[in-house]
Amino acid sequence: MAKKHILIVPGDGIGQEVTTVGKQVLDRIAEKFGHEFTYDEALIGHVAIEATGDPLPEETLVKMRASDAILFGAVGHPKYDNDPSAKVRPEQGLLKMRKELGLYANLRPIKLFDELLEASSIKPEILKGSDILFFRELTGDVYFGKRERLDDGNTAYDTMIYSKYEVERIARKAFEAARTRSKKLMSVDKANVLESSRLWREVIQKIAPEYPDVEVEHQFIDAAAMLLIKDPRRFDVVVTGNLFGDILTDEASQIAGSMGMLASASVGDSTGVYEPIHGSAHDITGKGVANPLASVLSAALLLDISFGLKAEADAIIAAVDKVLKDGFRTRDIANSETPADKILGTDAMGAELLKHL
Ligand code: NAD
């Protein structure tokens, strides 16, 4: 029996709606497998700014550090998207959380459920069998380098910066994962142009001999972006920097059919954070139509990675597979052939899923 304390951080927009379902699934798993999960909740993003003026209040950080794992929703509000000059912004909460918790590795499994082959904009015969695991570095690169506005606001720069140890620690995680899969690792950079990428490649090449069973391939980001659409099955474990990983994983989300299907894990020095890859989706907030499956699959990753509860995680994935096989869809993964009575809202999809747990 596992005794664990989980912090629920729903954040903004549909983060609130989908995380409710994610938590219900964790509850059901605890009941079914005889574990004891206790929960607390905390604020981040726009809701935190409204309540305290701070996108990541100290109280939230304290609760984060004190928990065994964090189920996270999303941050963001239209107010800030349309006002680039706003000094306090919801995303600052997200970036600070990653830095404060030392979450340097973002894992994004791109798993395609066969039932959703038709939901993707890529041809089914190209897609079928795709199964990719991205390792995106999360606390370095242009997102954390020095940035400045010069010449009375007419010129700006951001610094793409990496240190050896930052590349090494994420590379090791990726090599280890490659060992448990098809023993192939693709490292993505832009070493033909960027000095930070040359350092990246050097480090990968230096530690590769420690993993002689893993075959390493280097690709430039532009070629990798093209290949991902052309031949997704060629990819297995991929390791890349923060900016390239941000873009490449959103592109890869189309392999899975929708952003609403993809989960991610951010791990590193302290408590792991598990979240859907999608944002707060203002366009559908409050309508009850958000796909909760990314949050549910995030809960599965949480159980697997932070608690080592693999059978429990597999039970969740099997339940997702079952509801999709039964023909149920949220709007984002439905198509013109989906019968109206099979198109479910967020809560109804959650209820359908719980029937199989
Ligand atoms: P988004 O991911 O919120 O939405 C993109 C599109 O996908 C929208 O049309 C949305 O309706 C759809 N979508 C996303 N998740 C869905 C789900 N679960 N079910 C059904 N449809 C879904 O990205 P965006 O529109 O570019 O950004 C909206 C806000 O989210 C912005 O404020 C942005 O800064 C923020 N954001 C936050 C995160 C995060 O918290 N990790 C990530 C990305 C964007």
Side-chain angles (χ1 to χ4, degrees):
M1 195 220 20
K3 233 177 144 171
K4 300 286 181 189
H5 184 64
I6 302 169
L7 185 67
I8 308 287
V9 187
D12 303 320
I14 65 163
Q16 297 277 344
E17 302 164 37
V18 298
T19 311
T20 303
V21 179
K23 177 173 179 283
Q24 284 168 356
V25 166
L26 286 171
D27 260 346
R28 177 61 60 88
I29 287 287
E31 193 186 312
K32 181 175 158 165
F33 288 84
H35 301 306
E36 195 181 315
F37 295 163
T38 52
Y39 304 92
D40 199 353
E41 206 166 294
L43 298 176
I44 196 167
H46 170 68
V47 288
I49 296 173
E50 293 287 288
T52 69
D54 184 347
L56 182 65
E58 187 55 29
E59 189 191 341
T60 296
L61 255 181
V62 169
K63 286 184 178 182
M64 285 177 161
R65 292 205 173 98
S67 63
D68 294 312
I70 298 165
L71 185 68
F72 191 91
V75 295
H77 191 273
K79 187 170 131 183
Y80 312 90
D81 293 352
N82 301 326
D83 177 12
S85 67
K87 289 265 179 300
V88 181
R89 312 179 59 82
E91 312 82 75
Q92 290 164 348
L94 193 67
L95 294 180
K96 188 171 170 204
M97 172 184 79
R98 290 172 181 167
K99 204 73 183 174
E100 290 286 331
L101 297 182
L103 303 171
Y104 62 82
N106 183 235
L107 279 70
R108 295 192 181 189
I110 309 286
K111 182 174 160 39
L112 177 68
F113 290 91
D114 277 351
E115 296 72 29
L116 295 184
L117 269 175
E118 301 293 337
S120 172
S121 44
I122 306 174
K123 290 190 196 107
E125 62 269 27
I126 298 213
L127 273 185
K128 199 167 167 34
S130 304
D131 183 356
I132 310 172
L133 178 58
F134 280 96
F135 280 81
R136 167 188 168 197
E137 200 288 328
L138 207 58
T139 52
D141 209 343
V142 279
Y143 296 170
F144 291 92
K146 183 167 187 246
R147 68 184 55 139
E148 203 175 354
R149 196 65 89 95
L150 309 165
D151 303 340
D152 292 333
N154 295 321
T155 306
Y157 70 87
D158 301 271
T159 315
M160 186 176 251
I161 180 163
Y162 267 119
S163 298
K164 272 186 179 171
Y165 81 95
E166 291 176 298
V167 185
E168 206 175 306
R169 62 187 181 178
I170 181 130
R172 285 192 191 285
K173 283 203 183 294
F175 270 107
E176 298 289 343
R179 278 196 156 153
T180 67
R181 293 173 48 113
S182 73
K183 304 193 186 336
K184 282 202 226 152
L185 176 66
M186 182 191 286
S187 170
V188 177
D189 60 33
K190 187 72 183 169
N192 50 344
V193 180
L194 303 171
E195 196 54 39
S196 54
S197 277
R198 282 194 274 275
L199 176 91
W200 180 281
R201 194 173 284 215
E202 235 174 75
V203 174
I204 303 279
Q205 284 169 340
K206 185 166 162 270
I207 63 174
E210 294 174 37
Y211 304 87
D213 48 332
V214 177
E215 186 191 325
V216 181
E217 174 186 4
H218 296 276
Q219 285 288 348
F220 297 131
I221 176 63
D222 39 352
M226 178 273 292
L227 281 172
L228 190 57
I229 296 298
K230 185 170 174 245
D231 188 10
R233 275 177 302 212
R234 177 189 170 130
F235 291 70
D236 192 323
V237 180
V238 181
V239 64
T240 188
N242 205 344
L243 175 65
F244 300 152
D246 195 0
I247 300 167
L248 217 50
T249 51
D250 260 26
E251 183 190 345
S253 74
Q254 286 316 295
I255 292 174
S258 166
M259 307 264 279
M261 291 300 300
L262 290 182
S264 82
S266 302
V267 296
D269 302 333
S270 122
T271 318
V273 176
Y274 299 84
E275 59 177 311
I277 77 156
H278 62 71
S280 48
H282 321 311
D283 51 339
I284 55 168
T285 295
K287 296 190 176 148
V289 297
N291 184 347
L293 297 180
S295 179
V296 167
L297 293 167
S298 302
L301 272 182
L302 180 156
L303 294 170
D304 185 0
I305 298 177
S306 271
F307 301 167
L309 301 174
K310 181 91 174 77
E312 288 79 343
D314 287 346
I316 295 177
I317 295 167
V320 171
D321 207 27
K322 182 76 175 85
V323 287
L324 295 174
K325 279 210 169 76
D326 288 347
F328 293 108
R329 302 282 186 272
T330 41
R331 214 173 58 177
D332 56 309
I333 49 172
N335 61 25
S336 55
E337 278 149 41
T338 313
D341 64 339
K342 294 277 186 183
I343 302 182
L344 306 180
T346 313
D347 295 343
M349 183 54 115
E352 202 54 51
L353 192 80
L354 289 176
K355 286 186 194 164
H356 301 291
L357 281 172

Short mmCIF file of all heavy atoms in Angstrom, two decimals, residues 295-337:
data_model
loop_
_atom_site.label_atom_id
_atom_site.label_comp_id
_atom_site.label_asym_id
_atom_site.label_seq_id
_atom_site.Cartn_x
_atom_site.Cartn_y
_atom_site.Cartn_z
N SER A 295 -5.25 15.22 -18.94
CA SER A 295 -5.04 15.30 -17.48
C SER A 295 -5.07 13.90 -16.87
O SER A 295 -4.28 13.58 -15.97
CB SER A 295 -6.12 16.19 -16.85
OG SER A 295 -5.92 16.24 -15.46
N VAL A 296 -5.96 13.07 -17.40
CA VAL A 296 -6.06 11.69 -16.90
C VAL A 296 -4.75 10.93 -17.19
O VAL A 296 -4.21 10.23 -16.33
CB VAL A 296 -7.26 10.98 -17.59
CG1 VAL A 296 -7.23 9.49 -17.36
CG2 VAL A 296 -8.58 11.59 -17.10
N LEU A 297 -4.21 11.13 -18.39
CA LEU A 297 -2.95 10.47 -18.75
C LEU A 297 -1.77 11.07 -17.96
O LEU A 297 -0.78 10.39 -17.70
CB LEU A 297 -2.70 10.54 -20.26
CG LEU A 297 -3.72 9.72 -21.10
CD1 LEU A 297 -3.62 10.06 -22.58
CD2 LEU A 297 -3.52 8.21 -20.89
N SER A 298 -1.91 12.34 -17.57
CA SER A 298 -0.89 12.95 -16.69
C SER A 298 -0.91 12.27 -15.33
O SER A 298 0.14 12.03 -14.71
CB SER A 298 -1.14 14.45 -16.50
OG SER A 298 -1.15 15.12 -17.73
N ALA A 299 -2.13 11.96 -14.86
CA ALA A 299 -2.25 11.25 -13.57
C ALA A 299 -1.58 9.87 -13.68
O ALA A 299 -0.93 9.41 -12.74
CB ALA A 299 -3.72 11.11 -13.19
N ALA A 300 -1.71 9.24 -14.85
CA ALA A 300 -1.07 7.92 -15.05
C ALA A 300 0.46 8.05 -15.01
O ALA A 300 1.15 7.25 -14.38
CB ALA A 300 -1.51 7.32 -16.38
N LEU A 301 0.97 9.11 -15.64
CA LEU A 301 2.43 9.34 -15.62
C LEU A 301 2.91 9.58 -14.20
O LEU A 301 3.97 9.12 -13.79
CB LEU A 301 2.77 10.57 -16.45
CG LEU A 301 3.03 10.43 -17.95
CD1 LEU A 301 3.39 11.78 -18.53
CD2 LEU A 301 4.15 9.44 -18.22
N LEU A 302 2.10 10.34 -13.45
CA LEU A 302 2.44 10.65 -12.04
C LEU A 302 2.60 9.35 -11.24
O LEU A 302 3.60 9.15 -10.52
CB LEU A 302 1.33 11.53 -11.46
CG LEU A 302 1.38 12.01 -10.02
CD1 LEU A 302 0.54 13.29 -9.87
CD2 LEU A 302 0.91 11.01 -9.00
N LEU A 303 1.64 8.46 -11.40
CA LEU A 303 1.68 7.19 -10.65
C LEU A 303 2.91 6.37 -11.07
O LEU A 303 3.60 5.80 -10.22
CB LEU A 303 0.41 6.39 -10.93
CG LEU A 303 -0.88 7.02 -10.39
CD1 LEU A 303 -2.11 6.28 -10.91
CD2 LEU A 303 -0.89 7.03 -8.86
N ASP A 304 3.19 6.36 -12.35
CA ASP A 304 4.29 5.56 -12.88
C ASP A 304 5.65 6.14 -12.46
O ASP A 304 6.48 5.46 -11.83
CB ASP A 304 4.15 5.52 -14.41
CG ASP A 304 5.18 4.60 -15.06
OD1 ASP A 304 5.98 4.01 -14.33
OD2 ASP A 304 5.19 4.49 -16.30
N ILE A 305 5.86 7.42 -12.77
CA ILE A 305 7.20 7.99 -12.58
C ILE A 305 7.49 8.37 -11.12
O ILE A 305 8.52 8.01 -10.57
CB ILE A 305 7.40 9.21 -13.51
CG1 ILE A 305 7.30 8.76 -14.98
CG2 ILE A 305 8.75 9.89 -13.25
CD1 ILE A 305 7.40 9.86 -16.00
N SER A 306 6.56 9.09 -10.47
CA SER A 306 6.87 9.55 -9.11
C SER A 306 6.66 8.47 -8.06
O SER A 306 7.36 8.43 -7.06
CB SER A 306 6.03 10.78 -8.74
OG SER A 306 6.69 11.96 -9.13
N PHE A 307 5.65 7.57 -8.29
CA PHE A 307 5.35 6.58 -7.25
C PHE A 307 5.75 5.15 -7.64
O PHE A 307 5.61 4.24 -6.83
CB PHE A 307 3.83 6.59 -6.92
CG PHE A 307 3.30 7.92 -6.43
CD1 PHE A 307 1.94 8.15 -6.35
CD2 PHE A 307 4.16 8.95 -6.04
CE1 PHE A 307 1.44 9.37 -5.90
CE2 PHE A 307 3.67 10.17 -5.59
CZ PHE A 307 2.30 10.38 -5.52
N GLY A 308 6.19 4.96 -8.89
CA GLY A 308 6.56 3.62 -9.34
C GLY A 308 5.38 2.65 -9.40
O GLY A 308 5.57 1.44 -9.32
N LEU A 309 4.16 3.18 -9.54
CA LEU A 309 2.97 2.32 -9.58
C LEU A 309 2.58 2.04 -11.05
O LEU A 309 1.65 2.63 -11.59
CB LEU A 309 1.81 2.99 -8.82
CG LEU A 309 2.08 3.29 -7.34
CD1 LEU A 309 0.94 4.08 -6.71
CD2 LEU A 309 2.31 2.00 -6.56
N LYS A 310 3.31 1.14 -11.67
CA LYS A 310 3.16 0.89 -13.10
C LYS A 310 1.82 0.22 -13.44
O LYS A 310 1.17 0.59 -14.41
CB LYS A 310 4.34 -0.01 -13.53
CG LYS A 310 4.38 -0.36 -14.98
CD LYS A 310 5.22 0.66 -15.76
CE LYS A 310 5.42 0.28 -17.21
NZ LYS A 310 4.29 0.51 -18.08
N ALA A 311 1.42 -0.75 -12.61
CA ALA A 311 0.16 -1.46 -12.91
C ALA A 311 -1.02 -0.49 -12.85
O ALA A 311 -1.95 -0.55 -13.65
CB ALA A 311 -0.05 -2.60 -11.91
N GLU A 312 -0.96 0.43 -11.88
CA GLU A 312 -2.02 1.42 -11.73
C GLU A 312 -2.06 2.35 -12.95
O GLU A 312 -3.13 2.68 -13.47
CB GLU A 312 -1.79 2.24 -10.45
CG GLU A 312 -2.04 1.49 -9.15
CD GLU A 312 -0.91 0.56 -8.72
OE1 GLU A 312 -0.03 0.22 -9.55
OE2 GLU A 312 -0.91 0.16 -7.54
N ALA A 313 -0.86 2.77 -13.40
CA ALA A 313 -0.78 3.64 -14.58
C ALA A 313 -1.34 2.90 -15.80
O ALA A 313 -2.11 3.47 -16.58
CB ALA A 313 0.67 4.06 -14.82
N ASP A 314 -0.97 1.63 -15.93
CA ASP A 314 -1.45 0.85 -17.07
C ASP A 314 -2.97 0.69 -17.04
O ASP A 314 -3.62 0.66 -18.10
CB ASP A 314 -0.78 -0.53 -17.10
CG ASP A 314 0.68 -0.43 -17.55
OD1 ASP A 314 1.06 0.64 -18.08
OD2 ASP A 314 1.42 -1.41 -17.36
N ALA A 315 -3.54 0.59 -15.83
CA ALA A 315 -5.00 0.46 -15.71
C ALA A 315 -5.68 1.71 -16.26
O ALA A 315 -6.73 1.64 -16.91
CB ALA A 315 -5.39 0.23 -14.25
N ILE A 316 -5.08 2.87 -16.01
CA ILE A 316 -5.66 4.12 -16.52
C ILE A 316 -5.57 4.16 -18.05
O ILE A 316 -6.55 4.49 -18.73
CB ILE A 316 -4.93 5.35 -15.91
CG1 ILE A 316 -5.17 5.39 -14.40
CG2 ILE A 316 -5.43 6.65 -16.56
CD1 ILE A 316 -4.43 6.51 -13.68
N ILE A 317 -4.41 3.80 -18.57
CA ILE A 317 -4.24 3.83 -20.04
C ILE A 317 -5.22 2.85 -20.70
O ILE A 317 -5.84 3.17 -21.72
CB ILE A 317 -2.77 3.51 -20.42
CG1 ILE A 317 -1.87 4.63 -19.89
CG2 ILE A 317 -2.61 3.36 -21.93
CD1 ILE A 317 -0.38 4.32 -19.91
N ALA A 318 -5.42 1.70 -20.06
CA ALA A 318 -6.36 0.71 -20.62
C ALA A 318 -7.78 1.27 -20.60
O ALA A 318 -8.57 1.03 -21.52
CB ALA A 318 -6.27 -0.59 -19.82
N ALA A 319 -8.12 2.01 -19.54
CA ALA A 319 -9.48 2.59 -19.45
C ALA A 319 -9.68 3.64 -20.55
O ALA A 319 -10.75 3.73 -21.16
CB ALA A 319 -9.70 3.19 -18.06
N VAL A 320 -8.64 4.44 -20.81
CA VAL A 320 -8.72 5.44 -21.89
C VAL A 320 -8.92 4.72 -23.22
O VAL A 320 -9.79 5.09 -24.03
CB VAL A 320 -7.44 6.32 -21.94
CG1 VAL A 320 -7.43 7.20 -23.18
CG2 VAL A 320 -7.33 7.18 -20.68
N ASP A 321 -8.16 3.67 -23.41
CA ASP A 321 -8.26 2.88 -24.64
C ASP A 321 -9.68 2.34 -24.81
O ASP A 321 -10.26 2.38 -25.90
CB ASP A 321 -7.25 1.71 -24.52
CG ASP A 321 -6.80 1.23 -25.87
OD1 ASP A 321 -6.80 2.05 -26.81
OD2 ASP A 321 -6.45 0.05 -25.99
N LYS A 322 -10.25 1.88 -23.70
CA LYS A 322 -11.59 1.27 -23.74
C LYS A 322 -12.66 2.31 -24.12
O LYS A 322 -13.50 2.04 -24.98
CB LYS A 322 -11.88 0.64 -22.37
CG LYS A 322 -13.19 -0.07 -22.27
CD LYS A 322 -13.15 -1.44 -22.97
CE LYS A 322 -14.42 -2.25 -22.79
NZ LYS A 322 -15.47 -1.94 -23.73
N VAL A 323 -12.62 3.48 -23.51
CA VAL A 323 -13.67 4.47 -23.86
C VAL A 323 -13.54 4.90 -25.32
O VAL A 323 -14.55 5.12 -25.99
CB VAL A 323 -13.69 5.74 -22.97
CG1 VAL A 323 -14.23 5.45 -21.60
CG2 VAL A 323 -12.37 6.43 -22.89
N LEU A 324 -12.31 4.96 -25.80
CA LEU A 324 -12.14 5.33 -27.22
C LEU A 324 -12.64 4.19 -28.11
O LEU A 324 -13.31 4.43 -29.11
CB LEU A 324 -10.66 5.64 -27.52
CG LEU A 324 -10.08 6.87 -26.80
CD1 LEU A 324 -8.59 6.98 -27.08
CD2 LEU A 324 -10.79 8.15 -27.25
N LYS A 325 -12.35 2.95 -27.72
CA LYS A 325 -12.84 1.79 -28.50
C LYS A 325 -14.36 1.74 -28.50
O LYS A 325 -14.97 1.34 -29.49
CB LYS A 325 -12.27 0.49 -27.91
CG LYS A 325 -10.86 0.20 -28.34
CD LYS A 325 -10.58 -1.31 -28.39
CE LYS A 325 -9.26 -1.59 -29.07
NZ LYS A 325 -8.08 -1.30 -28.24
N ASP A 326 -14.96 2.16 -27.37
CA ASP A 326 -16.43 2.19 -27.29
C ASP A 326 -17.01 3.32 -28.12
O ASP A 326 -18.23 3.49 -28.17
CB ASP A 326 -16.89 2.36 -25.83
CG ASP A 326 -16.66 1.09 -25.02
OD1 ASP A 326 -16.39 0.03 -25.64
OD2 ASP A 326 -16.75 1.15 -23.77
N GLY A 327 -16.15 4.12 -28.72
CA GLY A 327 -16.61 5.16 -29.65
C GLY A 327 -16.83 6.52 -29.03
O GLY A 327 -17.25 7.46 -29.71
N PHE A 328 -16.58 6.66 -27.71
CA PHE A 328 -16.81 7.96 -27.08
C PHE A 328 -15.71 8.95 -27.44
O PHE A 328 -14.53 8.59 -27.50
CB PHE A 328 -16.90 7.80 -25.56
CG PHE A 328 -18.12 7.02 -25.13
CD1 PHE A 328 -18.00 5.73 -24.65
CD2 PHE A 328 -19.39 7.57 -25.28
CE1 PHE A 328 -19.13 4.99 -24.29
CE2 PHE A 328 -20.52 6.85 -24.92
CZ PHE A 328 -20.38 5.55 -24.43
N ARG A 329 -16.10 10.17 -27.68
CA ARG A 329 -15.15 11.23 -28.08
C ARG A 329 -15.55 12.54 -27.43
O ARG A 329 -16.74 12.82 -27.28
CB ARG A 329 -15.19 11.46 -29.61
CG ARG A 329 -14.88 10.25 -30.47
CD ARG A 329 -13.37 9.99 -30.52
NE ARG A 329 -13.03 8.93 -31.45
CZ ARG A 329 -13.00 7.63 -31.14
NH1 ARG A 329 -13.29 7.22 -29.92
NH2 ARG A 329 -12.67 6.74 -32.05
N THR A 330 -14.55 13.36 -27.10
CA THR A 330 -14.86 14.77 -26.82
C THR A 330 -14.81 15.46 -28.18
O THR A 330 -14.33 14.88 -29.16
CB THR A 330 -13.83 15.38 -25.85
OG1 THR A 330 -12.54 14.93 -26.21
CG2 THR A 330 -14.15 15.02 -24.41
N ARG A 331 -15.27 16.69 -28.21
CA ARG A 331 -15.44 17.37 -29.50
C ARG A 331 -14.15 17.47 -30.31
O ARG A 331 -14.14 17.32 -31.52
CB ARG A 331 -15.99 18.78 -29.22
CG ARG A 331 -16.92 19.30 -30.25
CD ARG A 331 -17.53 20.60 -29.81
NE ARG A 331 -16.52 21.62 -29.53
CZ ARG A 331 -16.79 22.86 -29.18
NH1 ARG A 331 -18.04 23.25 -29.03
NH2 ARG A 331 -15.84 23.73 -28.93
N ASP A 332 -13.03 17.71 -29.62
CA ASP A 332 -11.75 17.91 -30.31
C ASP A 332 -11.25 16.67 -31.04
O ASP A 332 -10.44 16.76 -31.96
CB ASP A 332 -10.68 18.39 -29.31
CG ASP A 332 -10.52 17.42 -28.14
OD1 ASP A 332 -11.54 17.07 -27.52
OD2 ASP A 332 -9.39 17.01 -27.87
N ILE A 333 -11.71 15.47 -30.61
CA ILE A 333 -11.23 14.25 -31.28
C ILE A 333 -12.36 13.55 -32.04
O ILE A 333 -12.19 12.43 -32.51
CB ILE A 333 -10.55 13.28 -30.27
CG1 ILE A 333 -11.42 13.07 -29.03
CG2 ILE A 333 -9.17 13.76 -29.90
CD1 ILE A 333 -10.91 11.98 -28.09
N ALA A 334 -13.50 14.22 -32.14
CA ALA A 334 -14.61 13.65 -32.91
C ALA A 334 -14.43 14.03 -34.38
O ALA A 334 -13.66 14.93 -34.70
CB ALA A 334 -15.93 14.21 -32.40
N ASN A 335 -15.11 13.32 -35.28
CA ASN A 335 -15.12 13.76 -36.68
C ASN A 335 -16.56 13.70 -37.20
O ASN A 335 -17.49 13.42 -36.43
CB ASN A 335 -14.15 12.96 -37.53
CG ASN A 335 -14.49 11.47 -37.57
OD1 ASN A 335 -15.64 11.08 -37.37
ND2 ASN A 335 -13.49 10.65 -37.81
N SER A 336 -16.72 13.94 -38.48
CA SER A 336 -18.08 14.05 -39.03
C SER A 336 -18.86 12.74 -38.93
O SER A 336 -20.08 12.72 -39.00
CB SER A 336 -18.01 14.51 -40.49
OG SER A 336 -17.18 13.61 -41.19
N GLU A 337 -18.12 11.63 -38.73
CA GLU A 337 -18.83 10.34 -38.63
C GLU A 337 -19.18 9.95 -37.20
O GLU A 337 -19.85 8.95 -36.96
CB GLU A 337 -17.97 9.23 -39.25
CG GLU A 337 -18.10 9.19 -40.76
CD GLU A 337 -16.83 8.72 -41.43
OE1 GLU A 337 -16.21 7.79 -40.91
OE2 GLU A 337 -16.46 9.32 -42.46
#
